[in-house]
Amino acid sequence: MLSNEQIKSNQKEIISLLRSTQREGIENVIKYLFKSNFFIIDSSRDRHHNWHGGLAQHCLGVYKIAQKHSEGLPQDSVIIAAILHDICKAGMLVFNPKGKPGSRKVHIPGHGNRSVKLLEKVCQFKLTDDERRAIRWHMRGLHHTSDYAQHDLYLAHQSRLWQIIHDADHKDAAIWGKR
């Protein structure tokens, strides 16, 4: 479980990184992060980053790993794809009767696509095609069968941004799975 100081530090770092992108609409995303309790909730009841403040900690960990391998890529895209790849999980928070965050099922196939829709439709944030694919397919996406999805997945797998985000997500998961 993260201390309140650690949670505030993560919050400050994530907001600073997102603002550094200077992207139109980023303030809408930041407002959503606060509204959805992104900074304080755990990521999952039964996964590697299950602690108070874990979703933000995980996304920050993904960014730090991805950033080490992102030379030549637009840094705003690395920041956005890494930090926001699991944004839809924050809105799935359930509070127990005492007002404490509770568990909920978050590993439903397609959560990357839900994150893209949330960013574009709810936050009115414009993603590049590469960012959209990196977020949509960060969990590989092999359960999709439509021709469009298969083509989009193929394009994602050709993307260096997708590869970096996919690998960083799994490396961060492995780090916390060992604790």
Side-chain angles (χ1 to χ4, degrees), residues 2 7 10 38-44 49-60 172 176:
L2 297 178
I7 290 170
N10 288 345
F38 176 85
F39 298 108
I40 63 168
I41 66 169
D42 65 342
S43 184
S44 166
H49 31 53
N50 178 30
W51 65 88
H52 183 60
L55 181 58
Q57 179 74 21
H58 167 64
C59 292
L60 194 54
D172 187 67
W176 291 106

Side-chain angles (χ1 to χ4, degrees), residues 31-143:
K31 285 178 188 174
Y32 180 82
L33 295 179
F34 280 104
K35 180 180 164 187
S36 67
N37 294 308
F38 176 85
F39 298 108
I40 63 168
I41 66 169
D42 65 342
S43 184
S44 166
R45 180 174 55 82
D46 58 354
R47 294 288 291 180
H48 51 276
H49 31 53
N50 178 30
W51 65 88
H52 183 60
L55 181 58
Q57 179 74 21
H58 167 64
C59 292
L60 194 54
V62 171
Y63 165 72
K64 289 176 179 180
I65 293 168
Q67 189 266 338
K68 291 177 185 177
H69 305 284
S70 65
E71 185 177 324
L73 287 175
Q75 285 305 294
D76 61 328
S77 291
V78 175
I79 291 167
I80 288 164
I83 292 178
L84 303 176
H85 74 281
D86 277 345
I87 191 174
C88 78
K89 291 180 179 180
M92 299 173 76
L93 178 65
V94 175
F95 288 93
N96 71 18
K98 294 182 180 182
K100 300 288 183 189
S103 64
R104 70 260 179 248
K105 186 172 182 177
V106 295
H107 295 283
I108 303 166
H111 72 271
N113 194 46
R114 287 191 300 281
S115 290
V116 167
K117 288 180 180 179
L118 189 151
L119 287 165
E120 294 183 326
K121 295 185 187 310
V122 174
C123 297
Q124 299 296 301
F125 185 72
K126 185 169 174 52
L127 297 166
T128 68
D129 288 340
D130 210 22
E131 292 163 357
R132 188 178 300 110
R133 288 184 183 112
I135 294 169
R136 178 179 290 139
W137 303 114
H138 73 274
M139 289 299 295
R140 196 171 296 272
L142 299 177
H143 58 279

